[in-house]
Amino acid sequence: MNNTELVEYEDQRQIVMNPMDATPAQFRAGLDRRKENRDTLMDWIRSALLEGRDYGSIIIKGQKSKPSLLKPGAEKIAGMLGLIPKFPNLKEYEEAVLAGHVVDAIILKCELQNQSGEVIGEGVGARYVEKQDHGDLNKALKMASKSAMIDATLRCAGISEIFTQDIEELQPKSNPALIEETDQQHVNQ
């Protein structure tokens, strides 16, 4: 075939329907396909993500916490799934600040979109600007967007069984003696 030949393309997209309306054979085949894909994703996560950089744990009362997915790990997973993070309500905060309004709290939504712009997963992240970030609006926006993206990734990939989110929330602030050590310095990532 040379570059001037036309290639006939047949659209092979399937009509989306409720899985419970499929025939038992179609439903079973769909479940089997999704199980195999999920197993493949879980194998990839176990082999590609690095503790201390992509996820981390802390020691509380002598016990290692459930691993927390960190931003680099969420970015890797979303990227491997071909998903792009978008923050549809970020512009509202930009406009409020430019108009001179004081922003006390930030609640950002993250949409993980495929290449066609379809929303595949969503997550939410929130911060109190003064209380959590000492009035640093830039830090608060970044932390809220990070939390929203991690939440969207956990939900979209269905990996809450192995990861949690916001490990810094696990640290007892009133009794730092409960934390004996930290695996890497992942809390600030």
Side-chain angles (χ1 to χ4, degrees), residues 16-30:
V16 177
M17 62 180 190
N18 183 324
M20 297 305 287
D21 292 334
T23 66
Q26 291 172 321
F27 187 64
R28 189 174 300 106

PDB file of all heavy atoms in Angstrom, residues 16-30:
ATOM      1  N   VAL A  16     -23.059   1.042  24.120  1.00  0.00           N
ATOM      2  CA  VAL A  16     -22.963   0.900  25.573  1.00  0.00           C
ATOM      3  C   VAL A  16     -24.353   0.584  26.115  1.00  0.00           C
ATOM      4  O   VAL A  16     -25.324   1.249  25.793  1.00  0.00           O
ATOM      5  CB  VAL A  16     -22.429   2.200  26.208  1.00  0.00           C
ATOM      6  CG1 VAL A  16     -22.391   2.074  27.715  1.00  0.00           C
ATOM      7  CG2 VAL A  16     -21.064   2.528  25.643  1.00  0.00           C
ATOM      8  N   MET A  17     -24.410  -0.456  26.929  1.00  0.00           N
ATOM      9  CA  MET A  17     -25.682  -0.827  27.522  1.00  0.00           C
ATOM     10  C   MET A  17     -25.443  -1.225  28.963  1.00  0.00           C
ATOM     11  O   MET A  17     -24.320  -1.416  29.400  1.00  0.00           O
ATOM     12  CB  MET A  17     -26.326  -1.975  26.755  1.00  0.00           C
ATOM     13  CG  MET A  17     -25.529  -3.244  26.764  1.00  0.00           C
ATOM     14  SD  MET A  17     -26.415  -4.485  25.819  1.00  0.00           S
ATOM     15  CE  MET A  17     -25.458  -5.907  26.221  1.00  0.00           C
ATOM     16  N   ASN A  18     -26.487  -1.367  29.694  1.00  0.00           N
ATOM     17  CA  ASN A  18     -26.386  -1.826  31.063  1.00  0.00           C
ATOM     18  C   ASN A  18     -25.933  -3.286  31.038  1.00  0.00           C
ATOM     19  O   ASN A  18     -26.559  -4.115  30.370  1.00  0.00           O
ATOM     20  CB  ASN A  18     -27.756  -1.698  31.749  1.00  0.00           C
ATOM     21  CG  ASN A  18     -27.719  -2.078  33.199  1.00  0.00           C
ATOM     22  OD1 ASN A  18     -27.007  -2.982  33.608  1.00  0.00           O
ATOM     23  ND2 ASN A  18     -28.502  -1.370  33.987  1.00  0.00           N
ATOM     24  N   PRO A  19     -24.840  -3.607  31.746  1.00  0.00           N
ATOM     25  CA  PRO A  19     -24.353  -4.992  31.720  1.00  0.00           C
ATOM     26  C   PRO A  19     -25.403  -6.009  32.148  1.00  0.00           C
ATOM     27  O   PRO A  19     -25.378  -7.154  31.695  1.00  0.00           O
ATOM     28  CB  PRO A  19     -23.181  -4.990  32.704  1.00  0.00           C
ATOM     29  CG  PRO A  19     -22.813  -3.571  32.885  1.00  0.00           C
ATOM     30  CD  PRO A  19     -24.017  -2.750  32.573  1.00  0.00           C
ATOM     31  N   MET A  20     -26.325  -5.600  33.001  1.00  0.00           N
ATOM     32  CA  MET A  20     -27.348  -6.532  33.470  1.00  0.00           C
ATOM     33  C   MET A  20     -28.371  -6.855  32.383  1.00  0.00           C
ATOM     34  O   MET A  20     -29.157  -7.790  32.530  1.00  0.00           O
ATOM     35  CB  MET A  20     -28.053  -5.979  34.714  1.00  0.00           C
ATOM     36  CG  MET A  20     -27.104  -5.798  35.905  1.00  0.00           C
ATOM     37  SD  MET A  20     -26.197  -7.286  36.349  1.00  0.00           S
ATOM     38  CE  MET A  20     -27.492  -8.254  37.090  1.00  0.00           C
ATOM     39  N   ASP A  21     -28.341  -6.093  31.275  1.00  0.00           N
ATOM     40  CA  ASP A  21     -29.238  -6.371  30.157  1.00  0.00           C
ATOM     41  C   ASP A  21     -28.591  -7.270  29.107  1.00  0.00           C
ATOM     42  O   ASP A  21     -29.237  -7.642  28.135  1.00  0.00           O
ATOM     43  CB  ASP A  21     -29.688  -5.060  29.503  1.00  0.00           C
ATOM     44  CG  ASP A  21     -30.584  -4.242  30.417  1.00  0.00           C
ATOM     45  OD1 ASP A  21     -31.241  -4.838  31.292  1.00  0.00           O
ATOM     46  OD2 ASP A  21     -30.613  -3.011  30.264  1.00  0.00           O
ATOM     47  N   ALA A  22     -27.319  -7.586  29.287  1.00  0.00           N
ATOM     48  CA  ALA A  22     -26.615  -8.450  28.342  1.00  0.00           C
ATOM     49  C   ALA A  22     -27.062  -9.899  28.549  1.00  0.00           C
ATOM     50  O   ALA A  22     -27.611 -10.265  29.586  1.00  0.00           O
ATOM     51  CB  ALA A  22     -25.107  -8.336  28.560  1.00  0.00           C
ATOM     52  N   THR A  23     -26.782 -10.704  27.545  1.00  0.00           N
ATOM     53  CA  THR A  23     -27.056 -12.131  27.714  1.00  0.00           C
ATOM     54  C   THR A  23     -26.072 -12.670  28.750  1.00  0.00           C
ATOM     55  O   THR A  23     -25.002 -12.085  28.951  1.00  0.00           O
ATOM     56  CB  THR A  23     -26.861 -12.895  26.389  1.00  0.00           C
ATOM     57  OG1 THR A  23     -25.479 -12.849  26.034  1.00  0.00           O
ATOM     58  CG2 THR A  23     -27.724 -12.312  25.273  1.00  0.00           C
ATOM     59  N   PRO A  24     -26.393 -13.788  29.393  1.00  0.00           N
ATOM     60  CA  PRO A  24     -25.443 -14.350  30.370  1.00  0.00           C
ATOM     61  C   PRO A  24     -24.058 -14.609  29.778  1.00  0.00           C
ATOM     62  O   PRO A  24     -23.049 -14.363  30.423  1.00  0.00           O
ATOM     63  CB  PRO A  24     -26.118 -15.648  30.820  1.00  0.00           C
ATOM     64  CG  PRO A  24     -27.591 -15.368  30.655  1.00  0.00           C
ATOM     65  CD  PRO A  24     -27.680 -14.510  29.415  1.00  0.00           C
ATOM     66  N   ALA A  25     -24.006 -15.064  28.536  1.00  0.00           N
ATOM     67  CA  ALA A  25     -22.710 -15.331  27.895  1.00  0.00           C
ATOM     68  C   ALA A  25     -21.928 -14.023  27.686  1.00  0.00           C
ATOM     69  O   ALA A  25     -20.720 -13.968  27.926  1.00  0.00           O
ATOM     70  CB  ALA A  25     -22.915 -16.051  26.573  1.00  0.00           C
ATOM     71  N   GLN A  26     -22.625 -12.958  27.234  1.00  0.00           N
ATOM     72  CA  GLN A  26     -21.963 -11.664  27.051  1.00  0.00           C
ATOM     73  C   GLN A  26     -21.501 -11.095  28.391  1.00  0.00           C
ATOM     74  O   GLN A  26     -20.400 -10.561  28.500  1.00  0.00           O
ATOM     75  CB  GLN A  26     -22.914 -10.664  26.381  1.00  0.00           C
ATOM     76  CG  GLN A  26     -23.231 -10.965  24.944  1.00  0.00           C
ATOM     77  CD  GLN A  26     -24.328 -10.045  24.415  1.00  0.00           C
ATOM     78  OE1 GLN A  26     -25.285  -9.730  25.121  1.00  0.00           O
ATOM     79  NE2 GLN A  26     -24.179  -9.627  23.169  1.00  0.00           N
ATOM     80  N   PHE A  27     -22.348 -11.213  29.378  1.00  0.00           N
ATOM     81  CA  PHE A  27     -22.027 -10.691  30.709  1.00  0.00           C
ATOM     82  C   PHE A  27     -20.804 -11.415  31.277  1.00  0.00           C
ATOM     83  O   PHE A  27     -19.878 -10.789  31.779  1.00  0.00           O
ATOM     84  CB  PHE A  27     -23.250 -10.848  31.623  1.00  0.00           C
ATOM     85  CG  PHE A  27     -23.091 -10.205  32.968  1.00  0.00           C
ATOM     86  CD1 PHE A  27     -22.942  -8.830  33.092  1.00  0.00           C
ATOM     87  CD2 PHE A  27     -23.097 -10.979  34.120  1.00  0.00           C
ATOM     88  CE1 PHE A  27     -22.795  -8.237  34.334  1.00  0.00           C
ATOM     89  CE2 PHE A  27     -22.958 -10.394  35.371  1.00  0.00           C
ATOM     90  CZ  PHE A  27     -22.809  -9.017  35.479  1.00  0.00           C
ATOM     91  N   ARG A  28     -20.795 -12.733  31.184  1.00  0.00           N
ATOM     92  CA  ARG A  28     -19.677 -13.534  31.682  1.00  0.00           C
ATOM     93  C   ARG A  28     -18.393 -13.169  30.941  1.00  0.00           C
ATOM     94  O   ARG A  28     -17.331 -13.009  31.549  1.00  0.00           O
ATOM     95  CB  ARG A  28     -19.985 -15.029  31.528  1.00  0.00           C
ATOM     96  CG  ARG A  28     -18.979 -15.945  32.199  1.00  0.00           C
ATOM     97  CD  ARG A  28     -19.393 -17.422  32.160  1.00  0.00           C
ATOM     98  NE  ARG A  28     -20.671 -17.652  32.842  1.00  0.00           N
ATOM     99  CZ  ARG A  28     -21.830 -17.900  32.235  1.00  0.00           C
ATOM    100  NH1 ARG A  28     -21.903 -17.982  30.927  1.00  0.00           N
ATOM    101  NH2 ARG A  28     -22.949 -18.089  32.916  1.00  0.00           N
ATOM    102  N   ALA A  29     -18.490 -13.042  29.625  1.00  0.00           N
ATOM    103  CA  ALA A  29     -17.307 -12.682  28.824  1.00  0.00           C
ATOM    104  C   ALA A  29     -16.792 -11.303  29.227  1.00  0.00           C
ATOM    105  O   ALA A  29     -15.577 -11.092  29.330  1.00  0.00           O
ATOM    106  CB  ALA A  29     -17.646 -12.714  27.331  1.00  0.00           C
ATOM    107  N   GLY A  30     -17.699 -10.374  29.465  1.00  0.00           N
ATOM    108  CA  GLY A  30     -17.297  -9.037  29.905  1.00  0.00           C
ATOM    109  C   GLY A  30     -16.618  -9.062  31.263  1.00  0.00           C
ATOM    110  O   GLY A  30     -15.603  -8.399  31.480  1.00  0.00           O
TER     111      GLY A  30
END
